[in-house]
Amino acid sequence: MHSLKPPLAMKRPRPPSPPPLSPASTKHTTPPPPPVKSLHPNTPPISSKKPKSHPKWVPLNLSQTELSLPLTFPTGQTFRWKQTGPLQYTGTIGPHLLSLKHLQNGDVSYFIHFAPSESAAKLALLDFLNVGISLAKLWEVFSENDSRFAELAKCLKGARVLRQDPVECLVQFLCSSNNNIGRITKMVDFISSLGTHLGSVGGFDFHEFPSLERLSAVSEEELRQAGFGYRAKYITGTVDVLQSKPDGGAQWLLSLRKLDLQEAIDALCTLPGVGPKVAACIALFSLDQHHAIPVDTHVWQIATKYLLPELAGARLTPKLCSRVAEAFVSKYGEYAGWAQTLLFIADLPSQKALLPSHFWDIKEKKSAKIEDSNSCNIDGNYS
């Protein structure tokens, strides 16, 4: 076992502008101040509240090797970030509304649309992006032990695992059960709309994720009418259980970050609608359980093709799910969940179609160090 400890909306129409005041209505009154002209005409306007203005894109000091936005946000980790421009994604982290985009050289910059505190927004963003973990160092270790991963890493740089708020992550993956991305997104947008409106960017409304207290006021019937189906009872049931925790549900979920993986999985599985796969997703994407392996039929196919070929053709059972997870951890170590995430992304039709045709004939070798190569250009050229 090889281990590594790196250093550490539904679209809604934009509300119309209010009509200008007539001369009669302003007579004998102090004239209103002239409207502030945006210094960035290409940045979509925001609505609601009157946030502090932070009119600039700021370098995040993350290269494409450390973060690829197209390989991180639209690949099933979160359903709350929207593409609001070419290589630009917008979302909320707590009470902060931010956009991220790639510059022409591939580096990432960020723009604060609304934040109670600019410094707090940046800290929240860095935490959300898990920047304390060096993706390049992880990829190097994985590639030394897996020639196929080494080839993938050249083409799919920057597929990073996020560190989401556990409540937000939990509710999203309750929506994901036996569902497709379009429908999951609509459900998550509905839940999100119950929170405080922070602004609109690129035709999308963005909200702070609602608190458990706010969610507890939503009935199962309301969710069913909104199209949640049987998942409605799981969401309301889970909220009720979390609300009954002595120190509060949000704090209880955060405490799972300190447990061993299996303890965290077992605790999550006590919640209505949470099974081992959903629990593993929550553990990996929000609870610092970096070797959690969410096993579904897709991951099972990857495992039987490249890790456990002797099980090809077998029927996936809970016992075999555990065996698959063990195989990933045995090969990739304590950050196996990060390796599995890249392998999962590589097998998505949208990415698979772009990989070099010879790639799928690569045979496993004992060792292959990653090379600085630009032999393929998938999401690699941001110009």
Side-chain angles (χ1 to χ4, degrees), residues 142-280:
F142 297 156
S143 299
E144 287 174 351
N145 302 296
D146 183 352
S147 61
R148 181 170 177 270
F149 191 99
E151 292 296 317
L152 277 173
K154 298 174 187 176
C155 303
L156 302 176
K157 298 176 181 178
R160 177 168 283 276
V161 170
L162 300 170
R163 188 177 195 248
Q164 301 178 56
D165 172 79
V167 172
E168 186 174 326
C169 189
L170 166 61
V171 174
Q172 289 184 85
F173 280 97
L174 283 174
C175 294
S176 74
S177 177
N178 296 316
N179 216 342
N180 60 64
I181 289 179
R183 194 162 176 232
I184 297 168
T185 301
K186 287 182 179 180
M187 291 179 181
V188 172
D189 286 347
F190 178 86
I191 292 287
S192 299
S193 71
L194 302 173
T196 302
H197 185 245
L198 299 181
S200 299
V201 181
F204 295 98
D205 279 347
F206 292 91
H207 301 77
E208 182 176 3
F209 199 77
S211 65
L212 286 172
E213 183 179 7
R214 174 66 183 93
L215 290 175
S216 68
V218 182
S219 69
E220 178 183 336
E221 183 57 30
E222 286 179 88
L223 293 179
R224 285 187 178 274
Q225 289 179 359
F228 282 69
Y230 68 87
R231 301 167 196 83
K233 65 181 178 183
Y234 293 148
I235 292 173
T236 55
T238 289
V239 169
D240 288 344
V241 171
L242 292 175
Q243 284 288 82
S244 70
K245 298 294 182 183
D247 295 324
Q251 189 58 43
W252 179 80
L253 285 169
L254 285 172
S255 73
L256 303 185
R257 289 177 172 174
K258 300 175 183 178
L259 301 183
D260 291 336
L261 173 59
Q262 192 55 54
E263 293 176 316
I265 294 289
D266 292 343
L268 289 168
C269 286
T270 64
L271 300 173
V274 178
K277 186 232 172 178
V278 167

Side-chain angles (χ1 to χ4, degrees), residues 39-367:
L39 299 178
H40 297 268
N42 294 328
T43 302
I46 66 172
S47 65
S48 184
K49 294 196 172 184
K50 293 184 179 177
K52 249 177 159 182
S53 179
H54 308 284
K56 60 180 179 179
W57 286 94
V58 182
L60 198 55
N61 298 320
L62 284 178
S63 67
Q64 173 202 347
T65 302
E66 288 296 327
L67 174 61
S68 166
L69 301 178
L71 293 179
T72 300
F73 286 104
T75 53
Q77 291 188 59
T78 177
F79 303 93
R80 287 193 9 99
W81 283 68
K82 313 296 182 185
Q83 185 167 4
T84 51
L87 297 171
Q88 177 178 316
Y89 293 82
T90 302
T92 66
I93 305 171
H96 316 296
L97 174 58
L98 309 99
S99 287
L100 294 167
K101 75 173 179 180
H102 282 290
L103 305 175
Q104 287 192 348
N105 66 356
D107 291 352
V108 180
S109 60
Y110 70 97
F111 187 98
I112 299 176
H113 298 282
F114 172 80
S117 161
E118 184 174 359
S119 59
K122 183 176 182 181
L123 287 174
L125 176 60
L126 295 176
D127 181 73
F128 176 73
L129 294 175
N130 251 331
V131 296
I133 296 172
S134 169
L135 201 58
K137 290 185 178 181
L138 284 183
W139 268 208
E140 183 178 359
V141 171
F142 297 156
S143 299
E144 287 174 351
N145 302 296
D146 183 352
S147 61
R148 181 170 177 270
F149 191 99
E151 292 296 317
L152 277 173
K154 298 174 187 176
C155 303
L156 302 176
K157 298 176 181 178
R160 177 168 283 276
V161 170
L162 300 170
R163 188 177 195 248
Q164 301 178 56
D165 172 79
V167 172
E168 186 174 326
C169 189
L170 166 61
V171 174
Q172 289 184 85
F173 280 97
L174 283 174
C175 294
S176 74
S177 177
N178 296 316
N179 216 342
N180 60 64
I181 289 179
R183 194 162 176 232
I184 297 168
T185 301
K186 287 182 179 180
M187 291 179 181
V188 172
D189 286 347
F190 178 86
I191 292 287
S192 299
S193 71
L194 302 173
T196 302
H197 185 245
L198 299 181
S200 299
V201 181
F204 295 98
D205 279 347
F206 292 91
H207 301 77
E208 182 176 3
F209 199 77
S211 65
L212 286 172
E213 183 179 7
R214 174 66 183 93
L215 290 175
S216 68
V218 182
S219 69
E220 178 183 336
E221 183 57 30
E222 286 179 88
L223 293 179
R224 285 187 178 274
Q225 289 179 359
F228 282 69
Y230 68 87
R231 301 167 196 83
K233 65 181 178 183
Y234 293 148
I235 292 173
T236 55
T238 289
V239 169
D240 288 344
V241 171
L242 292 175
Q243 284 288 82
S244 70
K245 298 294 182 183
D247 295 324
Q251 189 58 43
W252 179 80
L253 285 169
L254 285 172
S255 73
L256 303 185
R257 289 177 172 174
K258 300 175 183 178
L259 301 183
D260 291 336
L261 173 59
Q262 192 55 54
E263 293 176 316
I265 294 289
D266 292 343
L268 289 168
C269 286
T270 64
L271 300 173
V274 178
K277 186 232 172 178
V278 167
C281 288
I282 298 164
L284 177 61
F285 301 137
S286 70
L287 298 180
D288 300 337
Q289 302 288 351
H290 303 298
H291 59 298
I293 306 294
V295 180
D296 57 9
T297 54
H298 195 100
V299 174
W300 168 247
Q301 291 168 1
I302 295 172
T304 55
K305 188 172 183 180
Y306 300 107
L307 295 178
L308 299 166
E310 68 274 16
L311 295 180
R315 181 174 173 271
L316 182 59
T317 64
K319 186 175 181 180
L320 288 182
C321 282
S322 297
R323 189 168 170 186
V324 168
E326 290 167 3
F328 272 99
V329 174
S330 177
K331 190 166 190 67
Y332 300 108
E334 63 182 292
Y335 285 85
W338 290 59
Q340 181 262 348
T341 297
L342 179 79
L343 298 176
F344 177 86
I345 291 170
D347 217 50
L348 293 174
S350 59
Q351 300 302 330
K352 197 171 183 178
L354 298 174
L355 289 167
S357 58
H358 72 273
F359 177 80
W360 304 104
D361 297 324
I362 293 173
K363 302 297 181 183
E364 187 67 28
K365 297 178 183 178
K366 287 185 179 179
S367 171

